[in-house]
């Protein structure tokens, strides 16, 4: 029997602009090279909302305002589990977006882009479940 570690607390940021979803290409583990919504670990003493806003600016250069909680997901990579709280965000000027920090690239993805992008495991199902994109 393997011992399961406590999950790391993480956040994700969902931003849809003109019908397109903000995605970053991950530059660091887990899921290097895969496309996902911006997000990452909650730092010690940080609120979920502050973590969302920090991660968005680090990965996209966008100043975001954290909105409503969409839902929770749990993911595994290797022997590590992640508990991810996904939030809607609002952004004042999406046109200044550029990849940074843990992101090697950035895109505002349309439905058709999901056919050729290497998307992180579970993201399509999450977007469908919460009716965030018609995939």
């Amino acid at each position: 029997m393997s011992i399961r570690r406590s999950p790391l607390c993480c956040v994700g940021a969902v931003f849809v602009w003109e019908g397109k979803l903000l995605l970053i290409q991950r530059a660091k583990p887990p899921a290097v090279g895969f496309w996902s919504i911006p997000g990452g670990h909650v730092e010690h003493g940080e609120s979920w909302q502050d973590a969302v806003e920090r991660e968005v600016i680090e990965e996209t250069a966008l100043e975001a305002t954290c909105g409503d909680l969409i839902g929770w997901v749990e993911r595994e990579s290797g022997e590590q589990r992640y508990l991810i709280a996904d939030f809607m965000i609002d952004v004042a000027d999406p046109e200044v977006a550029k990849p940074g920090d843990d992101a090697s690239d950035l895109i505002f993805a349309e439905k058709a882009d999901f056919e050729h992008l290497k998307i992180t495991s579970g993201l399509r199902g999450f977007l469908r479940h919460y009716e965030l994109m018609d995939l």
Side-chain angles (χ1 to χ4, degrees):
M1 173 195 285
S2 65
I3 298 173
R4 293 179 57 116
R5 299 162 112 188
S6 295
L8 291 176
C9 293
C10 299
V11 293
V14 175
F15 181 62
V16 178
W17 179 49
E18 298 179 350
K20 299 174 187 173
L21 178 68
L22 174 62
L23 295 177
I24 55 110
Q25 188 174 38
R26 298 189 54 81
K28 297 181 182 175
V32 173
F34 282 78
W35 291 87
S36 188
I37 58 175
H41 298 99
V42 177
E43 294 179 354
H44 181 72
E46 188 175 41
S47 72
W48 295 97
Q49 294 81 1
D50 287 346
V52 168
E53 293 172 2
R54 176 185 50 77
E55 286 290 343
V56 170
I57 200 163
E58 287 177 0
E59 294 183 350
T60 70
L62 293 172
E63 291 198 32
T65 302
C66 186
D68 292 337
L69 173 69
I70 298 167
W72 299 87
V73 296
E74 189 170 344
R75 300 281 183 252
E76 289 188 29
S77 181
E79 294 185 18
Q80 183 60 60
R81 293 184 309 144
Y82 302 90
L83 178 63
I84 307 166
D86 291 304
F87 292 84
M88 293 298 296
I89 63 167
D90 188 33
V91 172
D93 189 6
E95 293 177 354
V96 302
K98 63 182 180 182
D101 190 50
D102 295 347
S104 58
D105 204 355
L106 175 146
I107 187 175
F108 285 93
E110 311 181 52
K111 180 179 179 176
D113 293 322
F114 280 77
E115 299 305 317
H116 68 274
L117 293 176
K118 195 165 68 168
I119 304 293
T120 53
S121 175
L123 182 58
R124 280 183 183 91
F126 171 81
L127 295 170
R128 273 190 229 111
H129 177 78
Y130 288 101
E131 299 177 353
L132 297 169
M133 284 195 81
D134 180 26
L135 299 174

